Amino acid sequence: IYWIIIPMYWAFTIPSIYEMIILALAFLMILSIAVWKGWYSVNKGKALAAIWGIPLIFCSSVGTYIIFFTNGYKAMRLKELLFHDASMNNPVYQTIHTVMTNAKLWGKVPEAVFDMLSDQLSMWDYFLLYLIAHLGFIAAIIVLGILLGLVIWMGILSVKQKNQMGMLIGTGCSVVFLIEILFYAMANLGFTLFGSGYCPFLTYGGTGIVMTYALCGIMLSIIRYEKVFPERDIEKVNTKDESEANAI
């Protein structure tokens, strides 16, 4: 578990809470899969409960303290997310609420609503919302379903990898994609604490698109060389090393 210490230190020094949460969730997911695979000699149920329960209790406690005992910007954002009356004072939420109220299963919202959306929010920051406003809920569901299906497929391929390092790296890439897509969808629907963010394979952004290409390259490399140095060979190498050490 010591390999997590340095990256977690970097996570807590990141000025963006959005990036910090993505990195922390990716670490928790990778560690959970390692425990589930039986790589640690621990009780799986208790270990998984601790891995997710402790951060959940900690975050809930911090959130409760911020909401009820502080009056700063963070408290305002949490109240906007959790309480409808507080969020109605936010112009971004008002725009999203107006679009969602007037949206159709298939078809465009009234022209006045679409003009208000164009004036208030950027298309690339709220692409799904624009899709809902222009074509309807069905189009947005189809696009979001394709993205989630692609990422889930990546995750399944990663978990099935026989190479341990490849499995962990591939799973980490898939989890990052999944979290970014879910956060982006939540932001477009009005449930967000971190702004609109970036959506892989759908929107553009300087750093975001570069990282997407890099992670896709890693995923393709892992899928292409899935049978290189499988786990049974690792066990043989470890056994050979132990025999050589005993001989010495």
Side-chain angles (χ1 to χ4, degrees), residues 111-156:
E111 199 64 35
V113 176
F114 194 83
D115 292 340
M116 180 189 69
L117 173 62
S118 302
D119 293 337
Q120 294 291 331
L121 302 176
S122 167
M123 183 180 71
W124 292 113
D125 289 340
Y126 293 89
F127 186 82
L128 282 179
L129 187 64
Y130 271 82
L131 198 60
I132 292 172
H134 194 71
L135 296 177
F137 286 110
I138 294 177
I141 291 172
I142 292 173
V143 171
L144 189 59
I146 293 172
L147 291 176
L148 291 176
L150 175 62
V151 173
I152 291 172
W153 174 72
M154 289 180 178
I156 292 173

Side-chain angles (χ1 to χ4, degrees), residues 171-232:
T171 301
C173 295
S174 303
V175 169
V176 169
F177 283 146
L178 179 63
I179 295 171
E180 287 187 332
I181 291 172
L182 292 178
F183 278 5
Y184 185 83
M186 291 172 61
N188 278 247
L189 297 177
F191 304 98
T192 181
L193 289 172
F194 321 109
S196 55
Y198 164 79
C199 185
F201 314 113
L202 188 63
T203 61
Y204 77 92
T207 304
I209 198 167
V210 170
M211 292 306 300
T212 297
Y213 287 155
L215 294 179
C216 284
I218 295 172
M219 288 294 303
L220 290 173
S221 177
I222 292 171
I223 294 171
R224 172 64 179 82
Y225 299 104
E226 60 178 330
K227 295 186 182 299
V228 175
F229 209 65
E231 286 186 14
R232 59 178 180 273

